[in-house]
Amino acid sequence: MNRSELIAETAIVLLAERGMRGLTHRAVDEAAGLPPGSTSNLARTRAALLELTLNRLTALERRTFEAVIDPRDDPIDQLAAALHEQLHDSRRTLARYELALEATRRPELRAIYDEMGNQFRAPATAIAAALGSTDPERHGRQLIAYAEGLVFDALAGAGRIPGYDDLRKGLEEVLRGMTG
């Protein structure tokens, strides 16, 4: 892992553990075991640090998502596996929630966050289409909304993380309702 990745991944951990207020250049240096000033040398401003972190988070989440998505496999199994993975790596998800809220106040971060989301909407649309949706774009958005709501509820709401079988059954029911 190079220094940029180390800094970004340390920032992800800090966001999950301490929230947005706990993310400082100094905190990243300390948590990563780097000499003072290392983070500011790479990301001079807070905005640059947030951008670096969001870009790394996007790459990590995309890699996880791509690892479970295979067009030859059952799309419901793939989605359940992706959700299961996301729920069991809650630090990334909590960091993404922190960044999502910050993106509502920072247009430069909003653009990156929106692009990140678009990378996951296209596969959801393709899955809806493959399952016979008459409106794959709308159903793809609804599928993501369902998945995001489920993850949010498990991590920040009720606090119950569903098992793989529950995830699969819920996805079947949602997708059956969309595709008839």
Side-chain angles (χ1 to χ4, degrees), residues 63-136:
R63 193 178 313 153
T64 298
F65 189 73
E66 288 170 353
V68 297
I69 298 298
D70 182 342
R72 298 166 298 195
D73 290 339
D74 176 12
I76 295 172
D77 278 337
Q78 295 173 67
L79 289 170
L83 281 172
H84 192 261
E85 179 73 26
Q86 189 175 17
L87 287 166
H88 288 85
D89 188 356
S90 61
R91 284 196 302 202
R92 279 192 210 161
T93 304
L94 293 171
R96 184 167 50 83
Y97 290 158
E98 290 285 341
L99 290 164
L101 290 172
E102 189 67 15
T104 65
R105 296 177 285 278
R106 292 179 181 257
E108 70 281 3
L109 199 58
R110 175 90 263 153
I112 298 165
Y113 192 84
D114 288 348
E115 178 55 35
M116 175 181 142
N118 288 336
Q119 294 175 28
F120 298 97
R121 283 182 187 83
T125 299
I127 288 169
L131 292 172
S133 167
T134 57
D135 191 349

Side-chain angles (χ1 to χ4, degrees), residues 3-83:
R3 186 170 282 213
S4 173
E5 292 168 340
L6 174 62
I7 288 171
E9 290 193 29
T10 301
I12 290 168
V13 171
L14 289 173
L15 282 170
E17 291 175 354
R18 302 179 188 176
M20 193 59 69
R21 292 179 60 153
L23 178 65
T24 65
H25 288 77
R26 180 177 289 153
V28 173
D29 288 343
E30 289 172 5
L34 295 171
S38 296
T39 300
S40 5
N41 281 337
L42 183 68
R44 289 240 177 260
T45 65
R46 181 167 182 78
L49 178 58
L50 293 174
E51 184 175 334
L52 176 77
T53 305
L54 184 54
N55 282 326
R56 180 65 180 162
L57 183 61
T58 300
L60 292 170
E61 288 197 339
R62 184 175 43 244
R63 193 178 313 153
T64 298
F65 189 73
E66 288 170 353
V68 297
I69 298 298
D70 182 342
R72 298 166 298 195
D73 290 339
D74 176 12
I76 295 172
D77 278 337
Q78 295 173 67
L79 289 170
L83 281 172

